[in-house]
Amino acid sequence: MEPDDFSPEDPITELSRLAGEAIDSQSTATSAERRRRCNRVLEMEAQGYITDERACFLAGLVMICGESVADFHHAHRFARRATELGDERAWTLRAMAWDRLLIELGRPQHFGTQIIRIGGRWSLGAVNPRVTDWERALFGVPPLYVQQQRVEELQRSEQG
C-alpha cells in the first residue's frame, strides 16, 4: 500500500476495534495498552466523533476496561449518555461502570455486577443491601443470587 492509499478508519469502526481489543484483552493488557485505548477515546470525543448512542456505547466499553477512577467515571458518563440517546444495551454497561467506579473508590457496589478477588477468593465484595433485584432488572442486571452463583461457579472451576 502506498502512503497516498492510506485511508483512516471511520470513527465507529475505530471505536468498534478499540472496544473489541479492550474486551478481548481484559486479563492480559498492559497498563500502557489500556491507557492508549482510553486516551484515544478521549481524543475522539474532543474531536467531536462521539455523539450518537452507538459511539457512546462503544466508548463506554473501552473506558470500563481502563484502570483508573477517571476511566470508570468516563465509562459511566458514556453509558449514561448512550441510554439517554436510546441504546438499550447501555443500561447494563451503565450499571457495571457505576459498580466498578464504586469499587475503585472503596465503596460497596450498587448492583453487584463486579466479581473481584478478595484474599485469594472470588467475591462480589460489599454490595449495597438497599438495592433491590427489581432495580437491578431495570438496568438489565441479574438478581443478586444469580451473581452470587456465578461467583461460586468461578471459584469451583478455579479449584478444579
Side-chain angles (χ1 to χ4, degrees):
M1 177 186 319
E2 296 295 320
D4 293 338
D5 294 336
F6 179 73
S7 172
E9 294 176 293
D10 69 90
I12 292 295
T13 301
E14 184 175 2
L15 285 167
S16 294
R17 180 181 54 75
L18 291 170
E21 288 174 6
I23 291 166
D24 290 345
S25 68
Q26 282 184 76
S27 62
T28 60
T30 66
S31 183
E33 291 167 335
R34 291 173 194 272
R35 185 80 271 124
R36 177 189 56 79
R37 283 191 287 270
C38 289
N39 285 343
R40 180 60 187 139
V41 166
L42 296 175
E43 286 172 11
M44 293 177 75
E45 180 184 31
Q47 294 166 344
Y49 292 127
I50 303 176
T51 57
D52 67 12
E53 67 274 9
R54 185 169 179 212
C56 287
F57 177 76
L58 292 168
L61 283 175
V62 174
M63 298 306 289
I64 202 169
C65 295
E67 55 190 8
S68 71
V69 168
D71 294 338
F72 306 142
H73 172 75
H74 288 302
H76 185 260
R77 182 174 58 83
F78 284 126
R80 185 182 67 235
R81 184 69 181 136
T83 62
E84 291 167 353
L85 293 170
D87 190 323
E88 295 296 320
R89 303 168 303 164
W91 284 101
T92 304
L93 179 61
R94 187 172 170 175
M96 293 170 65
W98 184 245
D99 277 351
R100 197 164 284 186
L101 178 60
L102 289 171
I103 288 171
E104 192 67 20
L105 293 171
R107 296 173 48 196
Q109 295 188 60
H110 190 82
F111 298 98
T113 62
Q114 303 298 299
I115 298 174
I116 57 176
R117 269 203 187 279
I118 298 177
R121 295 191 53 83
W122 292 108
S123 172
L124 291 176
V127 179
N128 184 336
R130 292 176 295 200
V131 178
T132 65
D133 285 341
W134 181 82
E135 186 177 355
R136 286 181 184 88
L138 290 175
F139 282 79
V141 175
L144 197 56
Y145 79 89
V146 172
Q147 295 295 82
Q148 189 57 48
Q149 287 174 340
R150 290 179 176 164
V151 169
E152 292 165 9
E153 289 171 13
L154 181 60
Q155 189 62 45
R156 278 193 304 272
S157 71
E158 191 171 273
Q159 291 172 342

